Amino acid sequence: MKISILTLFPDMFTGVFQQSILKNAQEKNLVEYELVNYREYTKDRHNRVDDYPYGGGGGMVLTPQPVFDAVEAVKQQGSDAKPPKVILLCPQGERYTQKKAEELAKEEHLILICGHYEGYDERIREHVVTEEISIGDYVLTGGEIGAMVIADSVTRLLPGALGNETSAVTDSYSTGLLEHPHYTRPADYEGMKVPDVLLSGHHERIDRWRREQSLKRTYERRPELLENMDLTKEDTEFIKKLKETDENS
Ligand code: 9D3
C-alpha cells in the first residue's frame, strides 16, 4: 500500500514514521509513505498557497491550484490499477472509526490532504476529493495529526504489520467490547494481588472471567456499544445481573 500525504509541514511526520510498527511495516515493504509539500506545486510567484476569502470575512482559504497539481502529480507517478481515494482531513468530515480504517486498509493507494486553514476552496472538495474525514469532535491546528491517525490505524491492519497475527482481529473495536484487565508478575505486588482465577490454570473459568470483565467494563464505560451486539444467553444473563446490582445501589 502507498499512503501519499500532502502537507505544508512534512517534518511533522518524520518521528512518527521512524519508530516501532510503522517503521517496521515500511522495512517489510508493506507500506510506503510519500510526503509531498504542496507548496512545491504553487505557481504563485511568492509561493503562496492561500488567499483571502471571496465575500470577505476572516481567515485564509487554501487555493485550488497547488492542490489540484500536487494530487495530479502523485496520481501520475503511481501505476494504480484502481483510482486512489483522495481524503481531505477537515472538521466537517465523516467521523473516523475502526470500520473506516478496515475499509481503507483494503486500498492500494490513499492520498491524504492536510491544511491549516479556516477553509478549503470548495472546488477542491467538488473535483479532487473523494471523501472527507474528521478524527473527532475537538479542534486541532491542522489536518496532519489526523493524517497520522489514519496512517497508523490503517498500517497496523496490513497483513504482517503486527508481529502477532491475532492482535488486530481481537481488538476491542473489532469484537465490539472493551478489553478485560491484564496482569503480569508478580502475583502479589506490595499487597496488591492478581485475581486468583488467573492463577488457577483453569482455562474455561479464565475465559469466562475475562468475558465477564469485558462485559462489565463495556456496560460501565461504553454502554452504547452493547446495543447492537449479538450476545450469548450467558452474556445477557450476566448483564441483567449487572443492571440489577446497579438499580439496588
Ligand atoms: C471556525 C471554524 N473552525 C472549525 C471548528 C475552523 C477550523 C479550525 C481548525 C478549521 C480547521 C481547523 C484545523 N483542523 C483540521 O484541519 C482537522 C481536524 C480537527 O480540527 N478536528 C478533528 N479532525 C480533524 S481532521 C482535520
Side-chain angles (χ1 to χ4, degrees):
M1 167 180 257
K2 184 165 171 179
I3 304 180
S4 304
I5 301 170
L6 276 53
T7 171
L8 297 174
F9 303 100
D11 292 347
M12 284 179 75
F13 294 85
T14 48
V16 171
F17 291 160
Q18 278 167 21
Q19 306 285 326
S20 181
I21 290 168
L22 305 192
K23 176 189 179 189
N24 271 306
Q26 290 171 91
E27 287 171 356
K28 293 184 203 160
N29 286 323
L30 301 175
V31 67
E32 178 193 345
Y33 306 119
E34 176 185 38
L35 288 161
V36 178
N37 189 334
Y38 52 83
R39 198 179 297 285
E40 288 174 17
Y41 288 88
T42 183
K43 290 175 178 159
D44 178 84
R45 59 198 181 92
H46 301 292
N47 276 346
R48 280 177 295 220
V49 297
D50 58 359
D51 211 332
Y52 299 99
Y54 275 124
M60 298 298 276
V61 176
L62 181 60
T63 199
Q65 181 273 320
V67 176
F68 273 67
D69 288 356
V71 169
E72 206 41 53
V74 162
K75 281 185 181 176
Q76 275 178 3
Q77 282 161 27
S79 49
D80 306 322
K82 182 180 166 205
K85 287 200 166 164
V86 182
I87 298 167
L88 184 69
L89 280 304
C90 68
Q92 308 99 301
E94 174 190 329
R95 173 86 71 86
Y96 193 59
T97 60
Q98 186 64 20
K99 183 166 158 272
K100 190 74 186 177
E102 283 163 16
E103 217 179 285
L104 297 181
K106 294 180 190 140
E107 296 291 318
E108 176 186 337
H109 188 187
L110 303 175
I111 301 176
L112 309 181
I113 305 175
C114 312
H116 278 245
Y117 295 97
E118 279 307 302
Y120 298 98
D121 187 287
E122 192 64 15
R123 291 163 291 189
I124 296 171
R125 288 202 161 85
E126 289 169 349
H127 300 284
V128 179
V129 164
T130 62
E131 43 223 284
E132 302 180 31
I133 293 179
S134 156
I135 60 162
D137 295 340
Y138 35 76
V139 183
L140 300 171
T141 58
E144 282 76 8
I145 292 175
M148 291 174 201
V149 166
I150 293 177
D152 186 282
S153 55
V154 167
T155 300
R156 67 183 288 289
L157 290 173
L158 301 175
L162 301 176
N164 174 359
E165 273 316 289
T166 59
S167 306
V169 209
T170 57
D171 283 340
S172 14
Y173 285 93
S174 305
T175 67
L177 292 176
L178 301 185
E179 280 193 28
H180 57 73
H182 299 270
Y183 292 91
T184 185
R185 287 190 295 179
D188 182 338
Y189 177 66
E190 309 211 346
M192 296 172 271
K193 296 199 172 62
V194 172
D196 282 335
V197 59
L198 296 178
L199 311 175
S200 70
H202 198 306
H203 292 294
E204 250 164 76
R205 278 179 50 211
I206 292 171
D207 287 349
R208 192 63 223 156
W209 181 84
R210 286 181 168 163
R211 180 78 184 170
E212 289 180 352
Q213 290 293 314
S214 277
L215 290 165
K216 183 166 184 283
R217 273 215 170 157
T218 310
Y219 174 72
E220 287 167 353
R221 300 183 184 195
R222 299 290 305 278
E224 78 282 7
L225 296 178
L226 294 170
E227 309 271 309
N228 307 313
M229 269 200 60
D230 21 292
L231 299 169
T232 66
K233 229 180 97 197
E234 249 182 325
D235 290 342
T236 315
E237 254 334 280
F238 181 75
I239 290 166
K240 210 177 117 202
K241 270 196 272 168
L242 286 176
K243 281 185 188 158
E244 284 164 9
T245 329
D246 244 9
E247 281 154 14
N248 298 330
S249 67

